[in-house]
Amino acid sequence: MNRFISCIAHSTSEGKLIIGSEKTALFDCGMLFCADKTIDAVEKALNGRALDYIFATHTHYDHIGALPAFRDRWPDLKLVTSPVGAAVLLKATPRRVIRELSQNAYSLYAPKAPFYEYSDDAFHCDMEVCDGDTVSLGDLTVRVYETPGHTRDSLSFFIDELALLTVSETCGVYICEGTVAPAYLTSCRTSLDAVKRCSQIPFSTISLPHQGCLFGEDANSFFTLAEKSLSDCRDFVTELAHSGLNADEILPHFTKRYATEKVIAMQPMQAFTINAVATIACTLREMGENT
């Protein structure tokens, strides 16, 4: 029996199911515009069982935007986030951004589909977890690792019994063999710390954001690639700043370098630009702190 099943319904979305002997869980539930397809895939894999948990790697719309549809399908499921994530979801601005970006995704990927109407109150945490906490699924245990850097609420998860590590976007986004795109939005420094910490977890398999899994030597080399990607991005922005460019002037250079066809296939341009602005800003801030 396959215990870990990808239910990702679109290249921009998320959703990976883990089936324990007593409980089931989904690592992120993905985009709202393809929620019906994600739910169909989850239902098929569950074969009559209920979905008990959604573990959020972080609270961005492409990872938990489909939450209202999942709550409608499984009213008793629990969203699991960090305390920081729980606080974020109660704020008006993040809820507005989730809705706006979800609407944009509809216009891009499902222009003829009606928007899934929901109450913002669907975006709330049911269970807060902190670094080192564990959640039992019966014969499987999910261990929590706080990995801030992409966002302040980013979490990674390790299933001891399967030696399976689900990494947050803090470590970067695996694009193709040998390529990891940087994804730090709040701190390069803490992202590098997270990469180092995750590399020391006794994994044999790594589950990647918006992708499948890496095994063997590919898994072992991921964190080397991730560290280089983060450092190269930091140095690229720093060099442009030292040349006299301000944040607005750095943005087109950053976009030209990082908004590749494969990256935009995973992320709408609007979201890429929002994230790029954040990456540049936090790089400049940390550059100033180091001078």
Side-chain angles (χ1 to χ4, degrees), residues 244-263:
L245 300 185
N246 62 31
D248 290 340
E249 293 165 334
I250 290 171
L251 180 58
H253 295 274
F254 188 97
T255 300
K256 182 178 180 180
R257 176 168 175 150
Y258 288 109
T260 65
E261 183 176 342
K262 290 182 178 179
V263 166

Side-chain angles (χ1 to χ4, degrees), residues 13 35 62 114 141 236 287:
S13 193
D62 55 331
T141 302
F236 176 68
M287 185 183 79

